[in-house]
Amino acid sequence: PNHGRGFCMDIQAFFKLSYGLYVVSARSGEKKYGCIVNTLQQVTAEPPMLSVAVNKNSVTAKAILDSGRFCGTVLTETADLHLIGTFGFKNSEAVDKFAAFSTKEDENNIPYLTEHAAARYSCEVAGTLDLGTHILIIGKVTEAEILSDEPVMTYDYYHRVVKGGTPPTAPSYKGNISHKPAQKAQWRCKICGYIYEGDPLPADFVCPICGQGADKFEKV
Ligand code: FE
């Protein structure tokens, strides 16, 4: 325990913060962009504004800043590893992430998911703050719509039930430290952080999130 003397930095303390899981999407010309974030939140009501922190190297961040607009979508608990793998661990320049899913476009022709989605908010960029690894984007909401009444995906649910990982590019990345001590042997995907429980890891195992093979896994 720290009694006010000295310095305390327990990264486990950051697990006490709660988050949801969201897709932020954008359009630049004909190209559609989207990625998964856990950092979308409402910051003011009058006018309604959201903030989102996006990795500065992401092509979605560049498209948001270039176009001045984005759409935030709240994922539901029904979102599976295929969806999260597509939006969280692939590059929007290389693939059309929206192609395999039901989508619509908002007033700015920005695509958003209409399945595994609880609500969407279309925004115009009202300000940005450079945070080093990430850029904090403030968006003024121009359209908001409920898409379903399914329970929303929390970050906790994603880790506990979906057994998803956190990529090193996420603001909340903590080296994929387990929330609880492991009961079984675990293998971790070095690319996306997905945890396989059991031993041995089958030689033909394919990561359900990022699609990498068993050679990209390390024993935890
Ligand atoms: Fe993986």
Side-chain angles (χ1 to χ4, degrees), residues 27-47:
R27 175 183 284 278
S28 187
E30 287 303 299
K31 203 103 181 145
K32 302 167 187 173
Y33 296 86
C35 64
I36 302 254
V37 297
N38 67 318
T39 51
L40 186 75
Q41 59 185 327
Q42 183 172 5
V43 288
T44 62
E46 292 287 340

Side-chain angles (χ1 to χ4, degrees), residues 189 192 207 210:
C189 176
C192 75
C207 178
C210 72

Side-chain angles (χ1 to χ4, degrees), residues 189 191-194 207 209-212 217:
C189 176
I191 305 303
C192 75
Y194 176 78
C207 178
I209 300 189
C210 72
Q212 296 290 323
F217 279 72

Side-chain angles (χ1 to χ4, degrees), residues 54-187:
V54 187
N55 190 283
K56 268 178 15 188
N57 295 327
S58 104
V59 291
T60 302
K62 186 175 185 309
I64 293 171
L65 298 175
D66 286 351
S67 66
R69 297 189 180 274
F70 67 94
C71 184
T73 307
V74 181
L75 293 178
T76 61
E77 287 180 357
T78 61
D80 57 10
L81 288 176
H82 169 61
L83 186 151
I84 289 161
T86 300
F87 281 93
F89 297 94
K90 294 207 165 83
N91 188 317
S92 291
E93 293 287 5
V95 293
D96 178 358
K97 296 183 178 185
F98 295 90
F101 303 98
S102 302
T103 63
K104 280 188 181 171
E105 292 189 356
D106 72 4
E107 56 177 351
N108 306 309
N109 301 115
I110 296 174
Y112 62 90
L113 295 169
T114 53
E115 55 178 337
H116 311 297
R120 60 99 184 179
Y121 319 95
S122 293
C123 302
E124 59 182 49
V125 175
T128 61
L129 181 63
D130 189 329
L131 303 177
T133 58
H134 289 68
I135 184 151
L136 183 69
I137 299 168
I138 307 295
K140 187 177 167 190
V141 180
T142 55
E143 286 188 327
E145 180 187 11
I146 290 178
L147 300 170
S148 83
D149 289 317
E150 292 281 331
V152 300
M153 177 82 87
T154 64
Y155 212 41
D156 183 57
Y157 184 92
Y158 170 65
H159 285 295
R160 278 188 305 109
V161 182
V162 187
K163 301 225 180 284
T166 300
T169 51
S172 56
Y173 181 66
K174 305 168 191 81
N176 282 302
I177 294 161
S178 295
H179 289 227
K180 287 177 189 154
Q183 301 298 310
K184 294 182 200 159
Q186 293 189 331
W187 294 80

